[in-house]
Amino acid sequence: MHEHRSHPVPAEWAARALINAERYAQMYAQSVADPDSFWAKEMHRLDWMRVPTQIKDTSFAADDFRIKWFADGTLNLAANCLDRHLDTLGDEVAILWEPDHPDTPSRTVTYRELHEATCRFTNLLKAKGVKRGDRVTIYLPMVPEAAVAMLACARIGAVHSIVFAGFSPDALAGRIADCASTVVITADEGLRGGKKVPLKANVDAACAKVRVDTVIMLRHTGADVPFVEGRDVDWATAIAAQSADCAAEEMGAEDPLFILYTSGSTGKPKGVLHTTGGYGVWASMTHQYTFDYQPNPDGSRPVYWCAADIGWVTGHSYVVYGPLMNGGITLMFEGVPNYPDFSRFWQVVDKYQVEIFYAAPTALRALMREGDEWVTRTSRKSLRLLGSVGEPINPEAWEWYYNVVGGGRCPIADTWWQTETGGHMITPLAGAHALKPGSASFPLFGVQPQLVDPANGHVLEGATEGALVITDSWPGQMRTVYGDHARFIQTYFTQYPGKYFTGDGCRRDEDGYYWITGRIDDVINVSGHRMGTAEIESALVEHDKVAEAAVVGMPHDIKGQGIYAYVTTMDGVEDTDDLRRELIAWVRKEIGPIATPDVLQFAPSLPKTRSGKIMRRILRKIAENDVGNLGDISTLADPSVVDDLLKNSPHAK
Ligand code: WTA
């Protein structure tokens, strides 16, 4: 649990990195003491149409709440990702695309090609009536066209809402409806690990439930899919008819850029809304500093690979916006780590001479289990820096990543952040901080973490453990929950008034390092994907044989957390193995494969207090098989319920 090993900053990193220890200390102090001057300088990493004169205008106080950054500035983020690089990098690589199967031809897209494709696609959106402020849903696989679609929205000022291509038609329909987007961009099929994902069919099924006027479809696998006249548009044919000339809209810094749905403790997923200026500065700055993204000594640009899907925030900030704003080379990978075999990641690293590699611990743990041989048979000499994201990385996986994958040469940036934060918040910087395996280490510029006592909100000082809050705004912060500002305030700012509550628990050690311990609300983190237990429960109770359901997380060797569901069936329904399989398949269909319960236990009744509240603490303990330690159960309306749960737990068998 308490890890004491530490890896000092390598001398070559201290000498060459953009941020060394001294610079970190000086910049961090300034970012907190005088944010206006700090950000007035940092903001020049972007090209502004009108340079902001107002920098930070924020308050988390209930009676004076506002979050505005660079408010009187104007800019366009697509122009920042594309146009401004044309003179210097026009014929250089922007995107390297590696397909699902190594025998399929890969692709290289230059900045000029990406610019042209984006301009044509923007004109197509305009021709379909899309205007600034309109919402556009993107449901695409990991192909360069996904970046084109995002950037085209940004160019026109439309707000993109990307839905992960693994979500079900129902989940897609819910997200389309919530933000009332009448345009959906998709592909015939996706490909992952050799399996086809029926994207267009899913869109068609979603369209049966919600109003969609236009579906733009990319032909990717060439599958024969139904085409609805008047609604569906073939991507390639349609853009061929469009001009490659398209001016970028002048957007206000606080105009929305995108919505991304994410799970919370309660209710349906919320549309996290990010705006243009602050998000742009944050994604660009964090990508540059965390990954030390600067030209190599020979002047070449490092090949950078973030293995996340564009359907998650990591894909937004660190596959597309961050690297492209910084004129980088971003590798987009369509496939999965274990197909065709467990060497796939490292073969791709060798193929493109990747220098910076960024992935989730869940993938690393799955590969670690298969043995070192899959890794060591590849070279990986090009690697310089490794990153981790999405969930706590256990020290064992950290050491494996460090020693086996990185050959003991590459520092690891364990980046803690959230969909809500827009970009990295707490992470070691390779040139500045000695590494402690499993610790996200120190806050980035402008980030002011604090640990508070979850029971009473009292600030905890020194080496301690508590709920992680952030006491002041940073530019990349989400601005609202789309269509529900009250929910935004309620979710993040009421628990500990005047502070942003992250939902995470955290420890701070005697050296001031931060160690994220995981969610302390009803969110679980499955393979680095956020799931709300409430969402899975509501999918279960929609089944006509289910009376009640409660879902909790359970420890899982590979996924970090697994999904443990307790289900009470309707009177007269028999609890059979067939029904268990049916219910598991049902959740998979309702939400998507990532929500598939790992364990489903039938429970004649759930442990409730006299006021009818489910005591989740007990359910968690049973799921964790920590039953010697159930705590006080005397407040239960019927304590005998617990015996029955214990008797029927899979751990008991
Ligand atoms: C967890 C993903 C430990 C955390 C970028 C957070 C982490 C949630 C780390 C956000 C990390 C993310 N160490 N935990 N390095 N990074 N988390 O919105 O619980 O999908 O609250 O954003 O992931 O998940 P989200």
Side-chain angles (χ1 to χ4, degrees), residues 314 390-392 414-419 504 516 519 525 530:
T314 310
E391 47 181 322
D414 175 2
T415 60
W416 174 82
W417 60 296
Q418 312 179 293
T419 305
D504 280 311
I516 308 296
R519 301 290 304 200
N525 198 324
R530 249 167 94 163

Side-chain angles (χ1 to χ4, degrees), residues 615 617-618 630-637 639 642:
M615 266 176 110
R617 175 175 56 81
I618 293 176
L630 287 182
D632 181 13
I633 57 168
S634 64
T635 57
L636 285 177
V642 174

